[in-house]
Protein backbone atom coordinates (compact mmCIF):
# COMPACT_ATOMS: atom_id res chain seq x y z
CA UNK A 1 0.00 0.00 0.00
CA UNK A 2 2.84 2.37 0.89
CA UNK A 3 4.44 1.63 -2.47
CA UNK A 4 1.36 2.78 -4.39
CA UNK A 5 0.99 5.86 -2.21
CA UNK A 6 4.56 6.86 -3.03
CA UNK A 7 3.86 6.45 -6.76
CA UNK A 8 0.74 8.63 -6.48
CA UNK A 9 2.67 11.29 -4.53
CA UNK A 10 5.45 11.28 -7.14
CA UNK A 11 2.93 11.64 -9.99
CA UNK A 12 1.18 14.42 -8.09
CA UNK A 13 4.47 16.29 -7.71
CA UNK A 14 5.35 15.89 -11.39
CA UNK A 15 1.85 16.77 -12.60
CA UNK A 16 2.42 20.59 -12.68
CA UNK A 17 5.62 20.12 -14.71
CA UNK A 18 3.82 17.79 -17.15
CA UNK A 19 0.99 20.30 -17.51
CA UNK A 20 3.46 23.13 -18.25
CA UNK A 21 5.18 21.00 -20.92
CA UNK A 22 1.81 20.07 -22.43
CA UNK A 23 0.69 23.70 -22.47
CA UNK A 24 3.97 24.67 -24.12
CA UNK A 25 3.51 22.06 -26.87
CA UNK A 26 -0.09 23.16 -27.46
CA UNK A 27 0.99 26.82 -27.59
CA UNK A 28 3.68 26.19 -30.22
CA UNK A 29 1.27 24.09 -32.30
CA UNK A 30 -1.29 26.90 -32.10
CA UNK A 31 1.36 29.41 -33.20
CA UNK A 32 2.27 27.27 -36.21
CA UNK A 33 -1.37 26.88 -37.27
CA UNK A 34 -1.94 30.60 -36.77
CA UNK A 35 1.08 31.37 -38.97
CA UNK A 36 -0.32 29.13 -41.72
CA UNK A 37 -3.62 31.04 -41.69
CA UNK A 38 -1.77 34.39 -41.71
CA UNK A 39 0.47 33.34 -44.61
CA UNK A 40 -2.50 32.11 -46.63
CA UNK A 41 -4.27 35.46 -46.14
CA UNK A 42 -1.08 37.31 -47.15
CA UNK A 43 -0.86 35.36 -50.40
CA UNK A 44 -4.54 35.82 -51.24
CA UNK A 45 -4.60 39.55 -50.44
CA UNK A 46 -1.44 40.21 -52.45
CA UNK A 47 -2.60 38.26 -55.50
CA UNK A 48 -5.86 40.17 -55.84
CA UNK A 49 -4.93 43.62 -54.57
CA UNK A 50 -5.29 46.86 -56.49
CA UNK A 51 -1.84 48.26 -57.21
CA UNK A 52 -1.07 51.94 -56.71
CA UNK A 53 -0.09 53.76 -59.93
CA UNK A 54 1.21 57.26 -60.54
CA UNK A 55 3.64 59.29 -62.66
CA UNK A 56 6.67 61.00 -61.14
CA UNK A 57 8.01 64.47 -61.94
CA UNK A 58 9.87 63.08 -64.96
CA UNK A 59 6.61 61.71 -66.37
CA UNK A 60 7.71 58.11 -65.87
CA UNK A 61 5.17 55.54 -64.72
CA UNK A 62 5.50 54.04 -61.26
CA UNK A 63 3.57 51.33 -59.48
CA UNK A 64 3.60 50.06 -55.90
CA UNK A 65 2.09 46.98 -54.30
CA UNK A 66 2.25 45.21 -50.96
CA UNK A 67 4.58 42.21 -50.60
CA UNK A 68 3.42 38.89 -49.15
CA UNK A 69 5.89 37.95 -46.42
CA UNK A 70 5.37 34.29 -45.56
CA UNK A 71 7.19 31.65 -43.54
CA UNK A 72 9.34 29.42 -45.74
CA UNK A 73 7.91 26.31 -44.02
CA UNK A 74 4.45 27.19 -45.32
CA UNK A 75 5.40 27.93 -48.94
CA UNK A 76 3.98 24.67 -50.31
CA UNK A 77 0.83 24.99 -48.24
CA UNK A 78 -0.25 28.51 -49.20
CA UNK A 79 0.99 28.84 -52.80
CA UNK A 80 -1.21 27.52 -55.60
CA UNK A 81 -0.06 24.39 -57.41
CA UNK A 82 0.74 26.15 -60.69
CA UNK A 83 3.02 28.69 -59.00
CA UNK A 84 4.70 25.95 -56.97
CA UNK A 85 5.52 23.88 -60.04
CA UNK A 86 6.85 26.88 -61.97
CA UNK A 87 9.10 28.00 -59.10
CA UNK A 88 10.25 24.45 -58.38
CA UNK A 89 11.32 24.12 -62.01
CA UNK A 90 13.28 27.38 -61.85
CA UNK A 91 14.89 27.27 -58.37
CA UNK A 92 14.46 23.71 -57.07
CA UNK A 93 13.66 23.39 -53.36
CA UNK A 94 11.36 26.30 -52.45
CA UNK A 95 11.99 26.18 -48.71
CA UNK A 96 15.77 26.15 -49.08
CA UNK A 97 16.51 28.04 -52.30
CA UNK A 98 13.80 30.62 -52.93
CA UNK A 99 14.35 34.12 -51.48
CA UNK A 100 11.70 36.13 -53.27
CA UNK A 101 9.61 36.06 -56.43
CA UNK A 102 7.96 38.84 -58.43
CA UNK A 103 5.49 38.58 -61.29
CA UNK A 104 4.96 41.76 -63.32
CA UNK A 105 2.49 42.25 -66.14
CA UNK A 106 3.12 45.46 -68.05
CA UNK A 107 2.14 47.14 -71.28
CA UNK A 108 3.54 49.87 -73.51
CA UNK A 109 1.39 52.22 -75.53
CA UNK A 110 1.72 55.57 -77.24
CA UNK A 111 1.57 57.25 -80.64
CA UNK A 112 4.12 58.52 -83.12
CA UNK A 113 4.38 60.19 -86.49
CA UNK A 114 6.94 59.49 -89.15
CA UNK A 115 7.48 61.24 -92.48
CA UNK A 116 8.29 59.05 -95.42
CA UNK A 117 10.97 59.61 -98.01
CA UNK A 118 11.12 58.27 -101.52
CA UNK A 119 13.56 55.47 -102.12
CA UNK A 120 14.04 52.44 -104.33
CA UNK A 121 13.44 48.90 -103.18
CA UNK A 122 15.54 46.36 -105.10
CA UNK A 123 13.71 43.05 -105.59
CA UNK A 124 16.55 41.49 -107.54
CA UNK A 125 19.26 42.61 -109.91
CA UNK A 126 16.77 42.89 -112.80
CA UNK A 127 13.92 44.73 -111.10
CA UNK A 128 13.59 47.66 -108.70
CA UNK A 129 10.40 49.22 -107.33
CA UNK A 130 9.59 52.67 -105.95
CA UNK A 131 9.10 52.62 -102.19
CA UNK A 132 8.62 54.80 -99.11
CA UNK A 133 11.05 54.60 -96.24
CA UNK A 134 10.16 55.47 -92.63
CA UNK A 135 12.46 55.85 -89.65
CA UNK A 136 11.91 56.63 -85.97
CA UNK A 137 14.83 56.91 -83.58
CA UNK A 138 14.29 57.88 -79.94
CA UNK A 139 15.43 56.48 -76.56
CA UNK A 140 12.37 54.19 -76.30
CA UNK A 141 11.82 53.10 -79.91
CA UNK A 142 14.06 52.37 -82.87
CA UNK A 143 12.03 51.73 -86.03
CA UNK A 144 12.98 51.32 -89.68
CA UNK A 145 10.29 50.52 -92.23
CA UNK A 146 9.93 50.31 -96.01
CA UNK A 147 6.55 50.37 -97.76
CA UNK A 148 6.38 49.13 -101.35
CA UNK A 149 3.08 50.30 -102.95
CA UNK A 150 3.32 47.98 -105.95
CA UNK A 151 3.59 44.95 -103.65
CA UNK A 152 1.23 46.46 -101.03
CA UNK A 153 3.77 45.39 -98.43
CA UNK A 154 5.31 46.96 -95.35
CA UNK A 155 8.61 45.57 -94.09
CA UNK A 156 9.99 46.81 -90.80
CA UNK A 157 12.63 46.28 -88.16
CA UNK A 158 12.04 47.70 -84.69
CA UNK A 159 13.39 47.65 -81.16
CA UNK A 160 11.47 48.78 -78.05
CA UNK A 161 13.49 49.66 -74.95
CA UNK A 162 11.55 48.44 -71.93
CA UNK A 163 13.86 49.05 -68.96
CA UNK A 164 12.57 49.31 -65.40
CA UNK A 165 13.85 49.27 -61.82
CA UNK A 166 12.29 47.33 -58.92
CA UNK A 167 12.67 48.49 -55.31
CA UNK A 168 11.79 46.50 -52.19
CA UNK A 169 11.40 48.47 -48.98
CA UNK A 170 9.23 49.09 -45.91
CA UNK A 171 6.59 51.81 -45.91
CA UNK A 172 3.73 52.83 -43.66
CA UNK A 173 0.35 52.61 -45.43
CA UNK A 174 -1.64 55.80 -45.78
CA UNK A 175 -0.58 59.43 -45.87
CA UNK A 176 1.53 61.32 -43.35
CA UNK A 177 0.86 62.39 -40.60
CA UNK A 178 -2.28 60.24 -40.31
CA UNK A 179 -0.24 57.04 -40.60
CA UNK A 180 2.05 57.87 -37.64
CA UNK A 181 0.99 54.86 -35.55
CA UNK A 182 0.47 52.40 -38.38
CA UNK A 183 2.80 49.43 -38.80
CA UNK A 184 5.27 49.48 -41.71
CA UNK A 185 4.54 47.01 -44.50
CA UNK A 186 6.91 45.53 -47.08
CA UNK A 187 6.18 46.87 -50.57
CA UNK A 188 7.54 46.44 -54.09
CA UNK A 189 7.81 49.45 -56.39
CA UNK A 190 8.55 49.64 -60.12
CA UNK A 191 9.93 52.61 -62.03
CA UNK A 192 9.61 52.40 -65.83
CA UNK A 193 12.14 54.29 -67.95
CA UNK A 194 9.99 54.02 -71.07
CA UNK A 195 7.44 56.84 -70.86
CA UNK A 196 4.80 54.71 -72.56
CA UNK A 197 5.12 51.74 -70.20
CA UNK A 198 3.02 50.99 -67.15
CA UNK A 199 2.43 48.11 -64.73
CA UNK A 200 -0.86 46.27 -65.15
CA UNK A 201 -0.33 43.93 -62.19
CA UNK A 202 2.38 43.27 -59.61
CA UNK A 203 2.66 40.24 -57.32
CA UNK A 204 5.62 39.68 -54.99
CA UNK A 205 6.26 37.06 -52.32
CA UNK A 206 9.22 36.90 -49.91
CA UNK A 207 10.07 33.82 -47.86
CA UNK A 208 11.05 34.48 -44.26
CA UNK A 209 13.39 31.98 -42.67
CA UNK A 210 13.68 31.91 -38.90
CA UNK A 211 17.20 31.26 -37.63
CA UNK A 212 17.83 28.05 -35.75
CA UNK A 213 18.73 28.08 -32.06
CA UNK A 214 22.47 27.77 -32.75
CA UNK A 215 22.46 30.71 -35.18
CA UNK A 216 20.35 32.86 -32.87
CA UNK A 217 22.85 32.29 -30.04
CA UNK A 218 26.11 32.78 -31.94
CA UNK A 219 25.27 34.93 -35.00
CA UNK A 220 24.10 38.14 -33.39
Amino acid sequence: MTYYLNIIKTIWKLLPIALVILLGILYFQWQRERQKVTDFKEIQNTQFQEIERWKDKEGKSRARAQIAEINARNAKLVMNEELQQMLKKEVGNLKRNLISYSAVKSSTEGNFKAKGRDTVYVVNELKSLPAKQFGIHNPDLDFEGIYVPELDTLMANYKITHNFDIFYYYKKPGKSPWNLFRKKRAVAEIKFHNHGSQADSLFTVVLERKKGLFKRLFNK
Side-chain angles (χ1 to χ4, degrees):
M1 189 68 177
T2 305
Y3 173 75
Y4 291 108
L5 288 174
N6 290 334
I7 292 177
I8 293 172
K9 288 180 180 179
T10 302
I11 294 174
W12 186 256
K13 289 180 180 178
L14 295 176
L15 184 60
I17 299 175
L19 288 174
V20 170
I21 294 174
L22 179 61
L23 287 174
I25 294 172
L26 292 175
Y27 174 76
F28 284 113
Q29 287 182 340
W30 174 76
Q31 285 281 63
R32 290 186 65 178
E33 293 302 316
R34 184 184 178 189
Q35 185 65 50
K36 290 177 186 178
V37 173
T38 301
D39 289 348
F40 182 79
K41 288 181 178 178
E42 283 274 315
I43 287 285
Q44 293 301 308
N45 293 339
T46 306
Q47 280 183 322
F48 300 105
Q49 68 180 320
E50 289 288 334
I51 66 174
E52 181 184 356
R53 301 183 184 91
W54 76 98
K55 286 187 178 290
D56 58 21
K57 294 180 180 179
E58 298 177 344
K60 296 179 179 179
S61 296
R62 292 194 179 224
R64 182 163 53 221
Q66 183 178 312
I67 292 175
E69 295 181 282
I70 68 172
N71 193 297
R73 293 182 303 183
N74 299 331
K76 291 184 178 180
L77 298 175
V78 300
M79 288 183 181
N80 63 58
E81 187 67 24
E82 184 179 351
L83 180 58
Q84 285 185 48
Q85 293 301 321
M86 187 276 290
L87 291 176
K88 187 175 181 180
K89 181 180 178 181
E90 296 294 335
V91 302
N93 190 308
L94 301 186
K95 182 179 176 181
R96 294 182 180 179
N97 299 342
L98 184 64
I99 298 173
S100 67
Y101 164 76
S102 292
V104 181
K105 292 182 180 179
S106 62
S107 59
T108 302
E109 62 181 23
N111 53 72
F112 55 83
K113 294 181 180 179
K115 292 183 178 181
R117 65 177 184 269
D118 294 330
T119 186
V120 174
Y121 178 70
V122 179
V123 178
N124 53 49
E125 294 182 357
L126 301 177
K127 187 176 182 180
S128 60
L129 300 175
K132 286 283 187 180
Q133 188 173 9
F134 301 88
I136 302 171
H137 304 281
N138 59 45
D140 299 332
L141 175 64
D142 193 0
F143 177 90
E144 287 283 351
I146 295 178
Y147 175 63
V148 184
E150 189 171 331
L151 300 177
D152 194 23
T153 301
L154 173 66
M155 293 164 285
N157 295 311
Y158 67 91
K159 177 182 178 182
I160 298 176
T161 303
H162 198 65
N163 296 337
F164 57 88
D165 301 319
I166 301 183
F167 309 91
Y168 302 102
Y169 59 96
Y170 285 94
K171 182 181 185 298
K172 289 185 178 181
K175 293 184 178 180
S176 180
W178 315 112
N179 61 353
L180 179 62
F181 299 105
R182 301 192 68 176
K183 182 181 178 181
K184 287 185 177 182
R185 299 302 304 266
V187 296
E189 182 178 318
I190 298 180
K191 175 185 177 182
F192 290 94
H193 294 275
N194 188 327
H195 286 75
S197 300
Q198 67 174 16
D200 299 319
S201 68
L202 171 59
F203 168 70
T204 304
V205 59
V206 174
L207 299 191
E208 295 179 328
R209 292 172 177 80
K210 292 186 178 180
K211 293 182 179 180
L213 179 61
F214 182 82
K215 289 185 176 180
R216 289 201 298 267
L217 290 175
F218 298 100
N219 293 344
K220 294 184 178 179

